[in-house]
Amino acid sequence: MNIRPGVPYPLGATYDGTGTNFALFSSVAESVELCLIDDNLAEERIKLTECDNNVWHCYIPGIIPGQRYGYRVSGPFDPAAGHRCDRAKLLLDPYARAIEGEVQNSNSVYSYNFDNPDERNTEDSLGSTMLSLVSSPFFDWAHDRPPGHDYHELVIYEAHVRGLTMLNPDIPEDIRGTYSAIAHPSTVEHLKELGVNALELMPIHQFVNDSSLKERGLSNYWGYNTIGFFAPHNAYSSDPRSSVQEFKQMVKALHDADIEVILDVVYNHTAEGNHMGPTLSFRGIDNASYYRLVDEDKAHYFDTTGTGNSLLMRSPAVLQLIMDSLRYWVTEMHVDGFRFDLASTLARQFHEVDKLSAFFELIHQDPIISRVKLIAEPWDVGEGGYMVGQFPVLWSEWNGSYRDTVRDFWRGQFSTLAKFGSRLAGSSDLYQDDGRKPMSSINFVTAHDGFTLNDLVSYNEKHNEANGEDNRDGSDNNLSWNCGVEGETDDPEVLNLRMRQRKNFIATMMVSQGVPMISHGDEVARTQGGNNNVYCQDNEISWMSWEETDTSSEMFDFTKRAIRMRREHPVFRRRRFFAGNPQQGGESERGEIEWMNPDSSHMTAESWDAAYARTLMFYLNGLAIGEPDDMGNRIVDSDFLVLMNAAPEDIEFTLPPQEYGKSWTVCLDTDEQHVDTDFSAGDKICLRNRSVLVMEHTREEGEDAPTVSVEKVLPPVHNE
């Protein structure tokens, strides 16, 4: 075989049309063998002789896409010193663009014997582990371009590739649960009709299916167990050799529909687990360079993820891996942004969480990554890891405080009104002091982790028996309310109340400043039967039903109308926080928002802090959005009134006097009693218990808006 020296960068297997360059980093390897593997799993081992700056490399003409390969690394095996090289294990290329197969539950992939963990296991893992594949970088993107939506324009839809598509009868059975199913016209049309413009996919990087789950007939459904940071998960494609092409075709189809693609990425740990985990890739290549080890005992891993290990965020090799991976997904795969799982771990350069860590510095200075959507899950399981409101200015965050406060308000908890007002206004108490804007807050009520929206209003307790852990797994702090009956019921009053509650949550998100995110299936009242931790349920418990019912149709129609209202009216999606500092007083030129009691009097500090307050009305001034459009013209919108009643009884609201608007038209009503009804200034409206009413006033020519005091602008600040 004609083997040439090749080049040390880029890392991975790079096909150029005539041959492939192979490059692997290892600072501890004494020798590295490239293993080319045929259809019968016979391997040809090529000892690499070129090594520059700890990168072992070669170029082989004639090696084309589809070629299986792996590495064997010879070097120190000294766990106490942090080294675990093991030539007996065929290792995945950390930069593999495509991966074939899955890890088998075999002792051969472990470097110790199950019967005696202190004894080395030298069994060859070939045949029991995944294989790297050379992939083609060539694809006809035609005129593909990123939709480029501004943050404030986004409506995010979080979904799972299989969960969204497995039960869709319009998709051919043989492609359900794949990237091609997401690209299928029925899926795209559903998203377009709903009105979302960003699809946030749960992990699609190649991950490992946990053997202990497989033994119980379950699986790692969510996919937070990454082993390949460059490879699309092969089970979501028709063939591992075409996984890259199928993923690109999906992105292209979504872009054609003006929908951005955001990936949920797991750069905080890998699937190799703790010191008792398998040797699949990083551990056998250069364990101490990739993983954070316990300082006093390097045989064990420092773990802030709850998965057994954490990547070493001060290691140049790790930082390069993450940055190269992010750039690859943007430049080669055309994705539009990332949601970073357990992002606080990425900030742990040392033991503490530091938002100025090397990782964030690299992100901020990178000309490619700094320009895409960056969303943090701002917590991990380590000490001091809850960082909501503390990420740098380029970042948005899943706002856990928004989720908890909105849930509490609508389940009728007392003393939550002021916090609720802060969340509606964009959570300025969390973000404004650092120079951040409302787009920093990703406003969500439900996500993959926890109850669905339907189950949030149907269960007081989790029901995770199907997970096989005696209902011990999953959170016990659901902040849910079953509306009087646990689980399924035929009681029409309970069903009507649950429908209102689901709509209340959707309406609240759509009138809140920030970026709304809904979880797939919430728009059709998807249920998981009270299971709040379906991480292992790759079946109808977690999949979205596409069966049309009266409930699903009504919920879909309401969600669609609420999203359309938000997208058509910039008053609900401001780029900046409302003007004024409520602690300083003074007069503002224009009132951007006014908070009112049900009798239309302005809220006072006593109103906000009233222990039993569960009602709210606020006015949004369409003339005072406070920012120009893309052409530099002043943005002018309609005025809106939003009435909210979380009390268990009907409440009478009095509309404000005519200087706020002579007439009002109902455009959203979670009780569906007043849709398209007109009201006049000063009218009294009996608002149904636990319901929301949104009304629009189209200002007549020459009609002005009132001047208001700054004290009326914002609710009291509640620092979390």
Side-chain angles (χ1 to χ4, degrees), residues 246-258:
E246 291 180 34
F247 183 90
K248 289 179 177 179
Q249 190 60 52
M250 176 196 71
V251 173
K252 186 172 180 291
L254 290 167
H255 282 183
D256 286 345
D258 202 36

PDB file of all heavy atoms in Angstrom, residues 246-258:
ATOM      1  N   GLU A 246     -27.845  12.221   4.586  1.00  0.00           N
ATOM      2  CA  GLU A 246     -29.237  12.325   5.017  1.00  0.00           C
ATOM      3  C   GLU A 246     -29.422  13.486   5.989  1.00  0.00           C
ATOM      4  O   GLU A 246     -30.443  14.188   5.948  1.00  0.00           O
ATOM      5  CB  GLU A 246     -29.682  11.008   5.652  1.00  0.00           C
ATOM      6  CG  GLU A 246     -29.806   9.874   4.648  1.00  0.00           C
ATOM      7  CD  GLU A 246     -30.259   8.580   5.300  1.00  0.00           C
ATOM      8  OE1 GLU A 246     -31.054   8.631   6.257  1.00  0.00           O
ATOM      9  OE2 GLU A 246     -29.809   7.502   4.858  1.00  0.00           O
ATOM     10  N   PHE A 247     -28.439  13.686   6.869  1.00  0.00           N
ATOM     11  CA  PHE A 247     -28.542  14.822   7.794  1.00  0.00           C
ATOM     12  C   PHE A 247     -28.520  16.139   7.023  1.00  0.00           C
ATOM     13  O   PHE A 247     -29.324  17.045   7.292  1.00  0.00           O
ATOM     14  CB  PHE A 247     -27.398  14.786   8.810  1.00  0.00           C
ATOM     15  CG  PHE A 247     -27.477  15.885   9.833  1.00  0.00           C
ATOM     16  CD1 PHE A 247     -28.167  15.704  11.011  1.00  0.00           C
ATOM     17  CD2 PHE A 247     -26.883  17.122   9.596  1.00  0.00           C
ATOM     18  CE1 PHE A 247     -28.261  16.735  11.946  1.00  0.00           C
ATOM     19  CE2 PHE A 247     -26.970  18.153  10.522  1.00  0.00           C
ATOM     20  CZ  PHE A 247     -27.659  17.953  11.704  1.00  0.00           C
ATOM     21  N   LYS A 248     -27.621  16.260   6.060  1.00  0.00           N
ATOM     22  CA  LYS A 248     -27.541  17.488   5.271  1.00  0.00           C
ATOM     23  C   LYS A 248     -28.837  17.729   4.498  1.00  0.00           C
ATOM     24  O   LYS A 248     -29.304  18.875   4.386  1.00  0.00           O
ATOM     25  CB  LYS A 248     -26.350  17.417   4.315  1.00  0.00           C
ATOM     26  CG  LYS A 248     -24.995  17.507   4.996  1.00  0.00           C
ATOM     27  CD  LYS A 248     -23.855  17.406   3.990  1.00  0.00           C
ATOM     28  CE  LYS A 248     -22.491  17.567   4.664  1.00  0.00           C
ATOM     29  NZ  LYS A 248     -21.374  17.456   3.706  1.00  0.00           N
ATOM     30  N   GLN A 249     -29.418  16.672   3.979  1.00  0.00           N
ATOM     31  CA  GLN A 249     -30.672  16.829   3.242  1.00  0.00           C
ATOM     32  C   GLN A 249     -31.784  17.321   4.164  1.00  0.00           C
ATOM     33  O   GLN A 249     -32.624  18.129   3.767  1.00  0.00           O
ATOM     34  CB  GLN A 249     -31.072  15.500   2.599  1.00  0.00           C
ATOM     35  CG  GLN A 249     -32.224  15.610   1.613  1.00  0.00           C
ATOM     36  CD  GLN A 249     -31.911  16.553   0.458  1.00  0.00           C
ATOM     37  OE1 GLN A 249     -30.874  16.417  -0.197  1.00  0.00           O
ATOM     38  NE2 GLN A 249     -32.785  17.523   0.213  1.00  0.00           N
ATOM     39  N   MET A 250     -31.779  16.851   5.411  1.00  0.00           N
ATOM     40  CA  MET A 250     -32.758  17.330   6.390  1.00  0.00           C
ATOM     41  C   MET A 250     -32.589  18.819   6.646  1.00  0.00           C
ATOM     42  O   MET A 250     -33.571  19.589   6.659  1.00  0.00           O
ATOM     43  CB  MET A 250     -32.602  16.553   7.700  1.00  0.00           C
ATOM     44  CG  MET A 250     -33.507  17.026   8.823  1.00  0.00           C
ATOM     45  SD  MET A 250     -32.998  16.414  10.451  1.00  0.00           S
ATOM     46  CE  MET A 250     -31.499  17.369  10.732  1.00  0.00           C
ATOM     47  N   VAL A 251     -31.354  19.246   6.877  1.00  0.00           N
ATOM     48  CA  VAL A 251     -31.097  20.666   7.127  1.00  0.00           C
ATOM     49  C   VAL A 251     -31.538  21.504   5.928  1.00  0.00           C
ATOM     50  O   VAL A 251     -32.186  22.546   6.080  1.00  0.00           O
ATOM     51  CB  VAL A 251     -29.606  20.908   7.426  1.00  0.00           C
ATOM     52  CG1 VAL A 251     -29.305  22.402   7.511  1.00  0.00           C
ATOM     53  CG2 VAL A 251     -29.207  20.218   8.724  1.00  0.00           C
ATOM     54  N   LYS A 252     -31.232  21.048   4.750  1.00  0.00           N
ATOM     55  CA  LYS A 252     -31.597  21.772   3.532  1.00  0.00           C
ATOM     56  C   LYS A 252     -33.116  21.912   3.410  1.00  0.00           C
ATOM     57  O   LYS A 252     -33.631  22.984   3.071  1.00  0.00           O
ATOM     58  CB  LYS A 252     -31.029  21.053   2.307  1.00  0.00           C
ATOM     59  CG  LYS A 252     -31.207  21.770   0.978  1.00  0.00           C
ATOM     60  CD  LYS A 252     -30.435  21.045  -0.120  1.00  0.00           C
ATOM     61  CE  LYS A 252     -30.589  21.751  -1.470  1.00  0.00           C
ATOM     62  NZ  LYS A 252     -31.964  21.633  -1.994  1.00  0.00           N
ATOM     63  N   ALA A 253     -33.848  20.827   3.713  1.00  0.00           N
ATOM     64  CA  ALA A 253     -35.307  20.876   3.632  1.00  0.00           C
ATOM     65  C   ALA A 253     -35.895  21.847   4.651  1.00  0.00           C
ATOM     66  O   ALA A 253     -36.840  22.590   4.352  1.00  0.00           O
ATOM     67  CB  ALA A 253     -35.885  19.476   3.842  1.00  0.00           C
ATOM     68  N   LEU A 254     -35.344  21.863   5.850  1.00  0.00           N
ATOM     69  CA  LEU A 254     -35.842  22.788   6.875  1.00  0.00           C
ATOM     70  C   LEU A 254     -35.491  24.224   6.515  1.00  0.00           C
ATOM     71  O   LEU A 254     -36.310  25.141   6.708  1.00  0.00           O
ATOM     72  CB  LEU A 254     -35.267  22.407   8.235  1.00  0.00           C
ATOM     73  CG  LEU A 254     -35.808  21.088   8.818  1.00  0.00           C
ATOM     74  CD1 LEU A 254     -34.958  20.621   9.996  1.00  0.00           C
ATOM     75  CD2 LEU A 254     -37.267  21.246   9.247  1.00  0.00           C
ATOM     76  N   HIS A 255     -34.300  24.457   6.010  1.00  0.00           N
ATOM     77  CA  HIS A 255     -33.933  25.808   5.583  1.00  0.00           C
ATOM     78  C   HIS A 255     -34.832  26.292   4.457  1.00  0.00           C
ATOM     79  O   HIS A 255     -35.203  27.474   4.409  1.00  0.00           O
ATOM     80  CB  HIS A 255     -32.467  25.840   5.142  1.00  0.00           C
ATOM     81  CG  HIS A 255     -31.500  25.874   6.284  1.00  0.00           C
ATOM     82  ND1 HIS A 255     -30.139  25.963   6.093  1.00  0.00           N
ATOM     83  CD2 HIS A 255     -31.690  25.831   7.622  1.00  0.00           C
ATOM     84  CE1 HIS A 255     -29.538  25.987   7.274  1.00  0.00           C
ATOM     85  NE2 HIS A 255     -30.459  25.901   8.216  1.00  0.00           N
ATOM     86  N   ASP A 256     -35.191  25.397   3.549  1.00  0.00           N
ATOM     87  CA  ASP A 256     -36.099  25.775   2.464  1.00  0.00           C
ATOM     88  C   ASP A 256     -37.443  26.248   3.012  1.00  0.00           C
ATOM     89  O   ASP A 256     -38.137  27.045   2.373  1.00  0.00           O
ATOM     90  CB  ASP A 256     -36.320  24.596   1.516  1.00  0.00           C
ATOM     91  CG  ASP A 256     -35.109  24.325   0.626  1.00  0.00           C
ATOM     92  OD1 ASP A 256     -34.227  25.208   0.538  1.00  0.00           O
ATOM     93  OD2 ASP A 256     -35.044  23.235   0.031  1.00  0.00           O
ATOM     94  N   ALA A 257     -37.807  25.745   4.196  1.00  0.00           N
ATOM     95  CA  ALA A 257     -39.059  26.141   4.850  1.00  0.00           C
ATOM     96  C   ALA A 257     -38.846  27.292   5.826  1.00  0.00           C
ATOM     97  O   ALA A 257     -39.749  27.606   6.607  1.00  0.00           O
ATOM     98  CB  ALA A 257     -39.662  24.942   5.571  1.00  0.00           C
ATOM     99  N   ASP A 258     -37.649  27.907   5.805  1.00  0.00           N
ATOM    100  CA  ASP A 258     -37.322  29.040   6.673  1.00  0.00           C
ATOM    101  C   ASP A 258     -37.252  28.644   8.148  1.00  0.00           C
ATOM    102  O   ASP A 258     -37.531  29.448   9.033  1.00  0.00           O
ATOM    103  CB  ASP A 258     -38.332  30.184   6.485  1.00  0.00           C
ATOM    104  CG  ASP A 258     -37.770  31.529   6.932  1.00  0.00           C
ATOM    105  OD1 ASP A 258     -36.558  31.762   6.734  1.00  0.00           O
ATOM    106  OD2 ASP A 258     -38.537  32.350   7.479  1.00  0.00           O
TER     107      ASP A 258
END
